[in-house]
Amino acid sequence: MFLEDCKILENVEVAKNMYLMKLKGTKAIPETVSGQFFMLQCKNSGVFLRRPISIHYINKKESVLEFYYEVKGKGTKDLSAAKTGDYINIQGPLGNGFIKEGTGKKVLVIGGGMGIAPMKYLLEELNNLGSNITFIAGGRNRGALKILDNIDLKGIITHITTDDGSQGTHGRVDMKMRELLEKERYDLVYTCGPEKMMESVAKIATENNIKCFVSLEARMACGVKACVGCSIKTKDGMKKVCHDGPVFDSTIIVEMNPKEKTETCCGN
Amino acid sequence: MSSLGINFLGVDFKNPLVTSSGCFGFGMEYKDYFDPNILGGIGIKGLTLEPRDGNYGTRIAETPSGMLNCVGLENPGIEYFKKVTLPLMKKEGINTNIIANINGSTIEDYIKIAKEVENIPEIKIIELNISCPNVKDGGMAFGANPEVAGRVTKEVRNVTTKPLVVKLSPNVTDIAGIAKIVEENGADAISLINTVLGMAIDIRSKKPLLGNTFGGLSGPAVKPIALRMVYQVYKAVKIPIIGMGGIASPEDALEFIMAGATLVSVGSVIFPNPLLPVEIIEGMEKYCKDNGIANISELIGIVHR
């Protein structure tokens, strides 16, 4: 397991509040697959917990990791303030990552907003497996898709949607998915994005008998299934997003974000 | 015996550092970071008779210098623990002391689970968590009512021969009074503090942030409260104490020992710093060496003398 200080090579604002951070490991970064994440320390702001951030890309040869993240609160604000040459402590890789069944298959990859983050590395892995890839990338506006400039989309059939129509098709990724399914057939769907979007994508996939993997996000304290803060209910019982996920077969998830209350008990 | 070796309730601990229940899973979760057997003992995730899913909705909220949680005792239940988890712990080579944290919603539940744990030889010590709501007597936590705290301690005492530690909730007005009552009813030791009840509100949704509305505050934010309570309880009782609450450094651990703790426990601060136990053990060893202390037990409660 990697628990090391890494040197920041660059940390740039790609679009409003969305940053791309490149880190160089002081040691070789262990075997990492797309969909996994690291816990990043944000020590300058004094926030207590690390922040789980998915891997955008990893250059194994150079030991360079890329994280694409949005500033949402104090911790990520702290990350965004880090400068080239600063050091940051990272813990990982954690979680299961995307379960690759893409060898020679026809795969639909759908990323919405910050859900595009883990797709750069996934697309490369799928490409290496010889998959036939279609990629739908959606966002609120043109800015949310600026990150695509950092992704090699050569040989990938790419569709872009925006909520405000400022780039690509005016609409949502699930609408584009339905449209494509009228003419095409896919073996697999990989998706990451807002919960509502993933719920819709998973539903469409199920209706069309396509296996769908979703990458979930959850509040977590430890990242190693010790705190049990990120549990979700599945058909196979309670699962930890940090350890059993973040990628799940969509059909085992009962509710992505259950609101129902049951027993009450304080503390641990 | 090394400078850190200590005997606690007849059980040898290689050092006074243990882990707090609910912060260290079942001892295997951090094995990629350090060998769990370097710990004096492992406080495992709170167990109940039946498996529990825990609370729904958001379970974690960050606070200044700490965090709130309302996990709600999610655990696989005692049967699963015996059949699957414990054999796995052994297979993973865990051989340090195991402290089992037991929970219930009624006194009958506590008795039943204590009887189950009594028959597990690998469990060296029982920690009775009395912070759960007592469903039969109105939902108030067992630990918040001196009479009920005494009763549950006595009933569990009657069914176990293992050393019995009672974990106290800080959400009371008179911690020393509760400590005395559980001592009178047969507790061999006291651990404190459990989390401090708190809450957070999401101003965007205008609703409580946590799925359970309230959650337990832990982390460095609670350390001064915990230290004060260990100090007060040490004065009030004769039985030993496991001190915990926001311990984030060897210095913090030493403060708890000086206030009166025999063992010290790391809790949620391990989340941001997985190597904290290693740092604390090394730091305590160094302190003993630098200060000519033959054994750390010399420091227990020293601030009272």
Side-chain angles (χ1 to χ4, degrees):
Chain A
M1 193 56 59
F2 192 81
L3 181 70
E4 300 289 337
D5 287 334
C6 291
K7 191 175 186 173
I8 297 176
L9 299 178
E10 61 176 87
N11 189 23
V12 294
E13 190 170 19
V14 175
K16 192 171 163 46
N17 286 333
M18 296 168 214
Y19 286 76
L20 178 65
M21 182 187 271
K22 293 187 183 175
L23 299 173
K24 175 131 178 117
T26 41
K27 288 184 186 163
I29 293 156
E31 191 56 37
T32 301
V33 296
S34 68
Q36 288 189 295
F37 65 97
F38 281 78
M39 296 290 272
L40 275 58
Q41 196 178 50
C42 320
K43 63 179 169 200
N44 293 330
S45 59
V47 296
F48 181 58
L49 299 170
R50 288 168 182 260
R51 294 296 185 268
I53 311 278
S54 71
I55 297 154
H56 180 52
Y57 189 67
I58 176 167
N59 180 332
K60 287 175 200 168
K61 251 202 310 214
E62 310 274 325
S63 241
V64 172
L65 274 167
E66 295 182 16
F67 295 100
Y68 173 55
Y69 62 95
E70 184 174 14
V71 173
K72 279 187 173 170
K74 272 189 202 163
T76 41
K77 177 93 192 149
D78 181 359
L79 289 180
S80 73
K83 303 261 183 302
T84 301
D86 287 352
Y87 283 84
I88 183 166
N89 191 273
I90 70 166
Q91 175 191 0
L94 301 164
N96 62 349
F98 286 108
I99 299 107
K100 257 73 72 184
E101 298 181 0
T103 312
K105 286 189 175 164
K106 211 168 159 185
V107 183
L108 185 58
V109 176
I110 304 175
M114 292 311 294
I116 295 170
M119 300 316 189
K120 180 180 179 180
Y121 192 28
L122 175 68
L123 290 171
E124 184 180 288
E125 286 178 329
L126 291 173
N127 229 341
N128 292 343
L129 287 171
S131 317
N132 175 332
I133 310 164
T134 300
F135 179 37
I136 308 174
R140 284 190 299 266
N141 50 37
R142 179 179 286 272
L145 294 161
K146 198 83 180 67
I147 189 65
L148 295 178
D149 297 348
N150 190 48
I151 302 176
D152 181 7
L153 297 171
K154 206 166 48 196
I156 294 166
I157 305 159
T158 305
H159 300 274
I160 287 170
T161 67
T162 46
D163 295 349
D164 67 354
S166 58
Q167 192 179 348
T169 313
H170 189 178
R172 300 187 317 260
V173 291
D174 53 348
M175 292 155 69
K176 178 59 78 178
M177 179 187 184
R178 278 197 195 280
E179 186 190 312
L180 294 179
L181 282 167
E182 281 170 21
K183 286 175 271 171
E184 297 283 340
R185 172 82 208 156
Y186 300 92
D187 302 311
L188 276 169
V189 173
Y190 293 101
T191 187
C192 183
E195 269 165 24
K196 275 198 180 133
M197 181 210 101
M198 287 193 289
E199 264 166 5
S200 175
V201 165
K203 188 167 165 268
I204 297 167
T206 307
E207 284 166 9
N208 288 273
N209 286 315
I210 309 169
K211 195 164 198 179
C212 175
F213 291 104
V214 295
S215 178
L216 304 187
E217 190 171 46
R219 281 173 185 260
M220 57 182 72
C222 70
V224 297
K225 77 177 163 83
C227 75
V228 203
C230 64
S231 277
I232 55 155
K233 194 169 190 170
T234 74
K235 287 175 186 160
D236 302 332
M238 300 302 286
K239 298 276 180 197
K240 316 293 165 279
V241 170
C242 72
H243 178 82
D244 306 306
V247 179
F248 293 91
D249 180 329
S250 67
T251 55
I252 75 154
I253 295 167
V254 176
E255 265 182 293
M256 287 194 194
N257 189 9
K259 298 283 188 293
E260 179 198 344
K261 283 185 186 179
T262 48
E263 66 205 272
T264 56
C265 185
C266 310
N268 312 312
Chain B
M1 201 181 251
S2 74
S3 63
L4 297 186
I6 207 157
N7 187 285
F8 179 75
L9 307 178
V11 181
D12 282 328
F13 282 70
K14 57 176 85 77
N15 61 61
L17 191 68
V18 297
T19 56
S20 305
S21 178
C23 299
F24 203 63
F26 290 99
M28 300 169 284
E29 286 73 1
Y30 281 96
K31 68 178 167 51
D32 290 340
Y33 302 88
F34 66 92
D35 175 4
N37 291 318
I38 67 163
L39 294 159
I42 293 170
I44 57 172
K45 175 77 187 140
L47 292 167
T48 51
L49 273 178
E50 74 295 354
R52 283 203 195 179
D53 286 355
N55 290 319
Y56 285 149
T58 301
R59 291 178 169 187
I60 304 275
E62 193 169 54
T63 68
S65 289
M67 58 177 278
L68 289 160
N69 92 82
C70 63
V71 167
L73 277 171
E74 178 184 330
N75 81 94
I78 188 73
E79 274 307 311
Y80 186 90
F81 171 75
K82 283 199 294 190
K83 285 207 181 99
V84 181
T85 316
L86 187 62
L88 195 60
M89 290 170 75
K90 284 164 92 171
K91 202 173 145 222
E92 292 283 349
I94 289 175
N95 56 32
T96 191
N97 299 317
I98 301 172
I99 303 169
N101 179 285
I102 61 168
N103 300 269
S105 304
T106 62
I107 289 189
E108 292 70 35
D109 283 355
Y110 277 107
I111 295 170
K112 279 187 197 153
I113 192 167
K115 281 182 177 167
E116 291 284 340
V117 173
E118 174 68 6
N119 295 321
I120 306 174
E122 292 85 353
I123 304 283
K124 290 293 183 322
I125 290 173
I126 294 180
E127 182 178 60
L128 182 67
N129 180 8
I130 55 171
S131 303
C132 288
N134 172 1
V135 295
K136 265 199 183 155
D137 295 328
M140 191 195 218
F142 283 88
N145 179 327
E147 188 269 323
V148 181
R151 185 145 46 98
V152 68
T153 304
K154 190 176 209 162
E155 295 283 358
V156 170
R157 170 77 292 162
N158 287 342
V159 297
T160 183
T161 57
K162 290 189 194 289
L164 177 65
V165 181
V166 178
K167 186 169 186 176
L168 300 187
S169 163
N171 306 309
V172 297
T173 44
D174 179 14
I175 193 84
I178 299 258
K180 265 196 228 173
I181 285 165
V182 301
E183 180 185 37
E184 284 161 15
N185 282 281
D188 296 311
I190 283 162
S191 62
L192 78 164
I193 60 173
N194 208 319
T195 54
V196 179
L197 202 56
M199 78 177 288
I201 291 170
D202 180 349
I203 60 165
R204 275 164 291 198
S205 68
K206 304 178 184 72
K207 297 251 188 297
L209 182 66
L210 294 172
N212 191 44
T213 307
F214 302 142
L217 179 65
S218 62
V222 308
K223 195 205 108 189
I225 302 172
L227 192 65
R228 180 263 293 177
M229 289 188 161
V230 167
Y231 182 95
Q232 287 177 312
V233 168
Y234 182 82
K235 259 193 186 333
V237 301
K238 294 192 173 58
I239 52 179
I241 295 167
I242 307 178
M244 69 192 80
I247 293 177
S249 65
E251 292 77 15
D252 289 345
L254 288 161
E255 280 191 68
F256 275 85
I257 292 170
M258 290 182 188
T262 299
L263 300 183
V264 283
S265 184
V266 285
S268 52
V269 189
I270 196 171
F271 301 152
N273 181 9
L275 294 178
L276 179 64
V278 181
E279 291 168 12
I280 292 177
I281 293 166
E282 286 174 1
M284 289 195 298
E285 253 166 11
K286 186 174 185 303
Y287 181 89
C288 289
K289 194 168 165 240
D290 292 351
N291 292 278
I293 290 153
N295 186 272
I296 195 143
S297 57
E298 293 169 31
L299 299 174
I300 299 168
I302 200 164
V303 77
H304 297 267
R305 295 202 275 275

